Amino acid sequence: MRKSITLFFLVAVIGLATCQSSIVEKLKSSLLKTTVTKDTVRTNKDTVRTEKLKLKFYKKDANASYYADKFNGKKTASGEKFDNNSYTAAHRKFPFGTKLKVTNQASGKSIIVEVTDRGPFSRGREIDLTKRGFMEIAKNKGIGVMVVTIEEVVN
């Protein structure tokens, strides 16, 4: 009886140590600042090219939404004309012209967008995407908000 209890505690301690080390490894990998991935980049003219991107992690579990159709054709904060069929975004902090990789955590799909506007102005939301970009990575086309990971594209 005593040997079985000792064996049980030994197995439990080894299992806990293994579990903790895998958690530590996951935390270390998520905190890496720069990663290089091979991605498909779409421009506003729908040209598609595959290139290696250098990415700098910004935020995980961010809420993303998309622009309403009523903003189509209006001026953005950067002075550009807004087009809901392009790959642009609104963010409160990133400078205009910054390229961001936005990945839907539910579907794993991602897009590259350029920051051209300020916002979103809804509490709890981190980024506003164009409707085209949002629908391209959305798992469920009927939703208005999704959880994403945001990474800055570094040149």
Side-chain angles (χ1 to χ4, degrees):
M1 177 75 173
R2 200 172 211 186
K3 286 183 180 179
S4 63
I5 293 173
T6 306
L7 183 60
F8 171 77
F9 282 118
L10 183 61
V11 170
V13 168
I14 290 172
L16 184 60
T18 305
C19 180
Q20 285 178 344
S21 67
S22 66
I23 292 171
V24 169
E25 289 303 316
K26 285 180 184 177
L27 285 174
K28 281 182 182 177
S29 66
S30 71
L31 293 176
L32 290 177
K33 295 295 180 195
T34 304
T35 57
V36 177
T37 62
K38 194 171 185 181
D39 260 314
T40 301
V41 178
R42 295 179 187 273
T43 64
N44 289 338
K45 297 176 184 168
D46 275 342
T47 54
V48 178
R49 64 185 191 276
T50 303
E51 61 182 43
K52 288 194 176 189
L53 298 175
K54 201 172 183 183
L55 303 171
K56 183 178 176 186
F57 177 80
Y58 175 70
K59 190 169 192 177
K60 190 175 182 177
D61 298 331
N63 288 321
S65 56
Y66 64 92
Y67 281 89
D69 290 329
K70 70 180 182 179
F71 295 109
N72 211 19
K74 305 247 174 148
K75 235 181 190 181
T76 62
S78 66
E80 293 181 29
K81 188 176 175 183
F82 177 70
D83 178 16
N84 231 345
N85 289 316
S86 63
Y87 292 95
T88 59
H91 196 275
R92 289 189 281 282
K93 297 178 183 173
F94 282 109
F96 298 132
T98 303
K99 298 214 186 273
L100 301 174
K101 179 180 177 186
V102 181
T103 306
N104 181 349
Q105 291 181 348
S107 69
K109 294 180 181 177
S110 62
I111 58 169
I112 306 292
V113 294
E114 182 179 347
V115 177
T116 60
D117 204 3
R118 290 292 169 235
F121 299 110
S122 298
R123 188 174 277 183
R125 302 222 181 117
E126 185 72 30
I127 192 167
D128 263 342
L129 303 171
T130 56
K131 192 171 189 177
R132 181 177 186 181
F134 185 93
M135 292 303 170
E136 191 171 306
I137 64 173
K139 189 173 184 178
N140 176 0
K141 305 295 185 207
I143 61 170
V145 178
M146 67 178 140
V147 180
V148 297
T149 299
I150 302 171
E151 297 170 287
E152 183 181 1
V153 177
V154 182
N155 290 337

